[in-house]
Amino acid sequence: MSGADPRVRAVLKLAPVIPVFTPENVDDAVAVAQALFNGGLPVIEVTLRTPVAMDAIKAMVEAVPDAVVGAGTVLTAAQMEQVKKIGGRFAVSPGATDRLYAAARDTDLPFLPGVATSSELMKGLEHGLDTFKFFPAVQAGGVGMLSAWNGPFGDVRFCPTGGISAQTARDFLHLPNVLCVGGSWLTTRALMQARDWAGIEQLARESAALVG
């Protein structure tokens, strides 16, 4: 890759919070996409942790075409290709390998690889990227780690994900090298079981208003 992919930062700048959603069925996934989008969060990361995830992404893309729906927990080149094929707009991984970096280039899919150490970050820079998911954010050093990284890696930008809540999101968003945060608090098991789409939309509205 010659130069960093500007599409990644463009996606991360659309809203301060990217909801991280694990779908259990397709119909509910569509309702979640509509609620999040109506609440002001256009970017949605759908984790590939359930058998219905790919079908859910495809349905969400078709039902809410203005939303930017991507896949999280992308672990293989085959998954990367399938995400692109069904209309996913970006891919996120908890870490990254040379094979996954190559797959992102081959499929021409905006890629947000996960990093937790300086060495992983430097490897990503060698692959031509400048924007990363910091994961698992809280467990890997949180605000302090990102603040320290801003010295040697001043041009790099992050989307921290993992252990972040509505209460702590602002602490991360306040940092100069953070574009947005990823959070699963918008689609908790309780909200999903209750099918509380209005509640999810309200949480999205509150999250869309967060600033650092």
Side-chain angles (χ1 to χ4, degrees), residues 4-79:
D5 186 347
R7 296 175 298 175
V8 177
R9 288 196 183 184
V11 168
L12 300 187
K13 287 176 179 176
L14 290 174
V17 177
I18 294 180
V20 180
F21 170 57
T22 302
E24 297 295 340
N25 71 69
V26 172
D27 289 342
D28 285 359
V30 168
V32 165
Q34 290 166 335
L36 291 171
F37 185 79
N38 291 340
L41 297 182
V43 184
I44 307 166
E45 176 187 334
V46 182
T47 70
L48 302 184
R49 298 180 187 178
T50 57
V52 302
M54 289 290 187
D55 289 337
I57 291 172
K58 189 170 187 291
M60 293 163 81
V61 167
E62 290 170 357
V64 193
D66 289 335
V68 181
V69 182
T73 324
V74 175
L75 305 177
T76 68
Q79 288 177 328

Side-chain angles (χ1 to χ4, degrees), residues 73-115:
T73 324
V74 175
L75 305 177
T76 68
Q79 288 177 328
M80 188 84 73
E81 290 163 12
Q82 193 175 353
V83 169
K84 173 82 170 185
K85 190 175 176 183
I86 62 175
R89 301 271 293 276
F90 61 94
V92 185
S93 64
T97 63
D98 290 330
R99 188 172 292 179
L100 211 52
Y101 280 119
R105 285 193 295 270
D106 291 344
T107 56
D108 191 32
L109 193 63
F111 180 39
L112 186 70
V115 298

Side-chain angles (χ1 to χ4, degrees), residues 187-210:
T187 54
T188 62
R189 187 173 294 277
L191 285 165
M192 293 303 301
Q193 286 178 341
R195 288 183 164 75
D196 185 1
W197 315 133
I200 290 173
E201 183 175 335
Q202 180 56 33
L203 283 175
R205 194 163 280 118
E206 293 166 8
S207 297
L210 284 173

